[in-house]
Amino acid sequence: QVQLVESGGGLVQAGGSLRVSCAASGGTFSSYVMGWFRQAPGKEREFVASISWSGGNTYYGDSVKGRFTISRDNAKNTVYLQMHSLKPEDTAVYYCAASFAGGLTHQERSYDYWGQGTQVTVSS
């Protein structure tokens, strides 16, 4: 059983930066594709980014491309989401997820394990 725990969320002003982290335990972290999703109040969960097991390939949602960077440290069993140029519309609960599927994917159904989420609030 894989457990994922997000951290690093908080309140930041528009235009600012924030990094959220997700620590994994209970499995072979380096064999998973990892992803970040987010869900704003009253909206469906949205794909943010994913990263291959090696970290060599990444994939971003259109709304964050060029502003967010996903990375991972397999030695620390941790995946990161560095967020720059934050906007009020980035306000959401951010979730990390692990996939055994093998390929980068934006589809929620491809992810097998989910964290509990961390709140990111961007003030205008």
Side-chain angles (χ1 to χ4, degrees):
Q1 185 76 7
V2 175
Q3 294 180 330
L4 303 173
V5 179
E6 301 94 336
S7 62
L11 175 64
V12 62
Q13 289 188 333
S17 298
L18 194 67
R19 188 178 80 164
V20 291
S21 304
C22 172
S25 61
T28 307
F29 179 75
S30 59
S31 65
Y32 311 141
V33 167
M34 297 297 297
W36 284 98
F37 291 77
R38 67 186 183 185
Q39 188 167 22
K43 295 188 177 181
E44 294 186 350
R45 193 150 53 184
E46 174 190 19
F47 170 74
V48 175
S50 61
I51 187 166
S52 61
W53 64 270
S54 68
N57 292 292
T58 56
Y59 177 33
Y60 294 93
D62 289 341
S63 62
V64 306
K65 206 172 293 182
R67 299 188 299 122
F68 290 11
T69 301
I70 188 171
S71 62
R72 67 190 297 161
D73 185 338
N74 287 343
K76 295 182 178 179
N77 289 356
T78 301
V79 62
Y80 305 97
L81 184 69
Q82 178 69 57
M83 303 178 285
H84 295 295
S85 302
L86 283 160
K87 306 174 183 180
E89 51 263 44
D90 294 317
T91 295
V93 177
Y94 283 71
Y95 298 92
C96 73
S99 170
F100 296 115
L104 296 181
T105 177
H106 65 282
Q107 296 180 335
E108 288 186 49
R109 63 176 179 268
S110 296
Y111 289 84
D112 303 284
Y113 297 100
W114 293 81
Q116 83 290 347
T118 186
Q119 176 71 47
V120 173
T121 302
V122 184
S123 63
S124 57

